[in-house]
């Protein structure tokens, strides 16, 4: 029974992502997407966008080191960065498991108490959630006139919105929400069991409060800005890769970025499925055809996921080289 429960927890994210991807791309011509990648996509811009995909986890690793230093001075910055690379790659296999992986790596290689590092990760996530909520609220307020102008200039009718709300896409959204609720239930149960272990609560509290001991707070907040700026540019620069998206403005990109960021909360590998659904829907709102929007989401997400795999391999090799040296 226990094996079945564990298998369910591991398989649910994969099944959820597969279901949404199938639904989104069930009538899609993949041969045209392949042709677009080989002959139409601007690889120069794509490679440039990947630079920001490398920088985002790098800045995240440097910021994490600042949280760890008050607890365990001398943690190597390279270990923090490599563990972040491995975190992202691990999340492709088991969503959300990467955070535990990086804490385990530092416990093994840098003697960082596991519970304390978990506390710093929770602090990190809380800061990111607050940052994203403030950022999303600003984008929403700034884009309200743009949406109204879009409906006015394009002659979009309310019937089309009604059709969207009553379409099968609604069921995809509800299915994703259900997946999030199940994940939260599992995490809360695990946390309850975890907190029963003697000494864990105290060490986690130290990790949670580690932000108070950060020595260079301006640099800490600069890293936070750079993390999210890199995430955004990783997405936005990809617009320049295709003729149908290169003229979309920064504000359009911000709306899609926010929608995609909330979509990856759904526990699927690298947000596969929900992210595609969110980006395709928003691109169509800005006048991009369904096929072009689907091509963009498929290729950009696929290439970005390949980058995550390569960075994960690099992080794993880096840790193993250091292990062999020591």
């Amino acid at each position: 029974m226990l094996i079945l429960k564990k298998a369910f927890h591991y398989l649910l994210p994969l099944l959820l992502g597969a279901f949404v991807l199938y639904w989104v791309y069930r009538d899609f011509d993949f041969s045209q997407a392949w042709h677009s990648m080989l002959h139409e996509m601007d690889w120069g811009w794509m490679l440039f966008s990947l630079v920001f995909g490398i920088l985002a986890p790098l800045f995240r690793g440097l910021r994490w080191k600042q949280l760890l230093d008050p607890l365990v001075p001398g943690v190597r910055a390279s270990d923090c960065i490599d563990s972040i690379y491995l975190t992202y790659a691990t999340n492709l296999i088991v969503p959300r498991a990467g955070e535990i992986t990086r804490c385990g790596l530092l416990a093994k290689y840098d003697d960082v108490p596991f519970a304390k590092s978990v506390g710093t990760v929770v602090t990190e996530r809380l800061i990111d959630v607050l940052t994203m909520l403030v950022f999303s609220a600003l984008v929403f307020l700034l884009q309200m006139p743009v949406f109204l102008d879009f409906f006015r200039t394009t002659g979009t009718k309310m019937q089309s919105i009604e059709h969207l709300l009553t379409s099968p896409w609604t069921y995809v959204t509800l299915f994703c929400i259900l997946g999030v609720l199940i994940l939260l239930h599992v995490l809360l149960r695990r946390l309850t069991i975890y907190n029963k272990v003697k000494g864990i609560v105290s060490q986690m509290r130290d990790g949670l409060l580690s932000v108070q001991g950060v020595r260079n707070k301006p640099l800490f907040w600069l890293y936070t800005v750079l993390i999210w700026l890199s995430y955004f540019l990783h997405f936005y620069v990809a617009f320049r890769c295709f003729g149908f998206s290169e003229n979309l403005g920064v504000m359009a990109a911000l709306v899609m970025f926010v929608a995609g960021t909330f979509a990856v909360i759904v526990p699927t590998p690298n947000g596969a499925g929900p992210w595609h659904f969110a980006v395709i829907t928003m691109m169509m709102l800005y006048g991009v055809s369904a096929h072009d929007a689907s091509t963009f989401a498929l290729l950009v997400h696929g290439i970005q996921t390949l980058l995550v795999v390569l960075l994960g391999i690099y992080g794993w090799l880096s840790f193993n080289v250091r292990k062999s040296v020591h």
Side-chain angles (χ1 to χ4, degrees):
M1 186 65 180
L2 182 61
I3 296 176
L4 288 176
K5 287 179 69 175
K6 287 187 176 181
F8 175 75
H9 292 156
Y10 292 141
L11 288 175
L12 177 63
L14 297 174
L15 293 174
L16 177 60
F19 169 78
V20 180
L21 279 174
Y22 167 75
W23 194 275
V24 172
Y25 287 98
R26 63 193 185 281
D27 299 320
F28 185 73
D29 186 350
F30 289 94
S31 63
Q32 290 188 21
W34 179 256
H35 180 272
S36 178
M37 183 181 71
L38 295 179
H39 303 289
E40 298 173 6
M41 188 174 74
D42 189 326
W43 277 95
W45 282 109
M46 179 57 72
L47 292 174
F48 183 49
S49 77
L50 297 182
V51 172
F52 298 104
I54 298 171
L55 289 177
L58 185 147
F59 290 134
R60 183 175 288 281
L62 293 175
R63 187 184 68 172
W64 191 31
K65 174 175 166 54
Q66 285 199 294
L67 288 174
L68 291 168
D69 279 341
L71 305 175
V72 184
V75 177
R76 287 186 291 264
S78 58
D79 284 356
C80 293
I81 295 168
D82 290 339
S83 67
I84 297 294
Y85 288 150
L86 271 169
T87 293
Y88 288 13
T90 302
N91 285 337
L92 293 178
I93 303 171
V94 183
R96 309 299 180 259
E99 309 299 352
I100 302 301
T101 299
R102 62 160 149 157
C103 295
L105 286 168
L106 289 198
K108 180 178 181 180
Y109 291 100
D110 293 88
D111 297 322
V112 178
F114 182 80
K116 288 186 177 182
S117 61
V118 169
T120 62
V121 170
V122 173
T123 298
E124 254 202 321
R125 289 309 184 195
L126 288 174
I127 291 171
D128 286 333
V129 168
L130 290 174
T131 301
M132 195 59 209
L133 288 175
V134 172
F135 178 71
S136 300
L138 289 173
V139 171
F140 177 77
L141 291 174
L142 289 172
Q143 273 296 86
M144 282 198 336
V146 176
F147 276 117
L148 293 175
D149 197 40
F150 171 80
F151 292 136
R152 203 166 36 244
T153 57
T154 59
T156 302
K157 298 179 180 180
M158 292 304 295
Q159 286 87 339
S160 62
I161 300 176
E162 181 182 351
H163 174 72
L164 178 65
L165 293 175
T166 57
S167 74
W169 290 107
T170 305
Y171 297 100
V172 175
T173 305
L174 292 175
F175 193 65
C176 292
I177 294 172
L178 177 62
V180 172
L181 292 176
I182 292 174
L183 176 69
L184 289 174
H185 173 70
V186 171
L187 290 178
L188 286 173
R189 286 190 59 187
R190 288 182 178 178
L191 187 60
T192 301
I193 296 170
Y194 194 64
N195 284 340
K196 292 179 181 178
V197 181
K198 185 178 179 180
I200 291 296
V201 176
S202 176
Q203 291 190 26
M204 284 191 67
R205 182 188 61 210
D206 293 340
L208 285 166
L209 298 177
S210 61
V211 70
Q212 297 178 355
V214 170
R215 297 183 181 90
N216 192 339
K217 287 185 172 62
L219 182 61
F220 179 86
W221 293 111
L222 175 62
Y223 283 144
T224 299
V225 172
L226 291 174
I227 288 167
W228 285 98
L229 180 62
S230 297
Y231 282 145
F232 173 69
L233 291 175
H234 188 34
F235 175 70
Y236 176 56
V237 172
F239 279 20
R240 307 293 300 178
C241 299
F242 304 93
F244 56 79
S245 60
E246 62 180 351
N247 293 322
L248 292 174
V250 174
M251 293 307 299
L254 285 171
V255 170
M256 295 177 211
F257 176 71
V258 168
T261 300
F262 279 103
V264 298
I265 295 174
V266 181
T268 62
N270 204 26
W275 186 89
H276 294 77
F277 166 66
V279 171
I280 291 169
T281 303
M282 295 308 300
M283 288 195 92
M284 291 172 63
L285 187 66
Y286 280 91
V288 178
S289 71
H291 182 272
D292 287 342
S294 300
T295 299
F296 176 89
L298 182 68
L299 295 181
V300 171
H301 186 273
I303 293 170
Q304 290 181 352
T305 300
L306 177 60
L307 176 66
V308 170
V309 173
L310 294 176
L311 290 176
I313 293 172
Y314 167 80
W316 179 78
L317 290 174
S318 183
F319 270 112
N320 278 274
V321 167
R322 281 195 290 275
K323 179 181 177 181
S324 62
V325 170
H326 294 290

